[in-house]
């Protein structure tokens, strides 16, 4: 492992993602317009050989909103045999694409 590696595990949209500066990240929809910055909550920070976890993390991860987008279509089918019961429903989740700009 190289000594100049800096990355963080952040909590965003109910999931945890590994990010470093310059990474593109897709999370659940966040309020904001493209170009605005948001702060993500770090759970773990790796700075070279030093690893900081839990409540000891004093760093902030900033990211810029690139655009709002929609996820892939999910088809939901309900079917009961021999009764003629069929229901079809579709769903696309709302997502936000972020670019990580800094880990301080």
């Amino acid at each position: 492992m190289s000594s100049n590696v800096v990355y963080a595990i952040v909590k965003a949209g109910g999931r945890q993602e590994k990010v470093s500066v310059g990474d593109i990240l897709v999370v659940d929809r966040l309020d904001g317009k493209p170009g605005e910055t948001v702060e993500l909550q770090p759970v773990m920070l790796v700075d070279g050989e030093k690893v900081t976890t839990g409540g000891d993390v004093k760093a902030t991860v900033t990211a810029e909103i690139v655009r709002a987008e929609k996820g892939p279509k999910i088809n939901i089918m309900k079917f009961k045999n021999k009764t003629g019961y069929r229901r079809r429903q579709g769903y696309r989740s709302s997502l936000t694409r972020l670019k990580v700009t800094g880990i301080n």
Side-chain angles (χ1 to χ4, degrees):
M1 183 165 162
S2 178
S3 63
N4 59 359
V5 174
V6 177
Y7 67 88
I9 307 292
V10 295
K11 187 173 183 179
R15 293 184 303 275
Q16 293 182 0
E17 303 275 346
K18 177 182 173 183
V19 297
S20 59
V21 176
D23 285 352
I24 301 292
L25 180 67
V26 178
V27 298
D28 290 342
R29 178 64 55 96
L30 297 174
D31 292 334
K33 297 182 179 177
E36 292 182 2
T37 60
V38 294
E39 288 190 5
L40 302 174
Q41 175 186 1
V43 177
M44 183 175 92
L45 178 69
V46 176
D47 187 8
E49 297 296 324
K50 190 171 91 175
V51 177
T52 310
T53 61
D56 299 335
V57 179
K58 302 291 188 234
T60 59
V61 176
T62 57
E64 178 184 352
I65 297 176
V66 177
R67 68 172 180 255
E69 55 187 43
K70 294 185 110 178
K73 178 108 177 194
I74 297 172
N75 289 318
I76 302 160
M77 282 292 297
K78 293 183 180 180
F79 174 81
K80 291 190 178 177
N81 197 13
K82 300 179 185 172
T83 60
Y85 178 79
R86 291 184 179 126
R87 293 292 177 265
R88 182 168 171 244
Q89 182 181 2
Y91 175 76
R92 291 183 75 183
S93 58
S94 300
L95 304 171
T96 301
R97 185 174 295 265
L98 302 174
K99 181 176 183 180
V100 179
T101 56
I103 299 175
N104 301 326

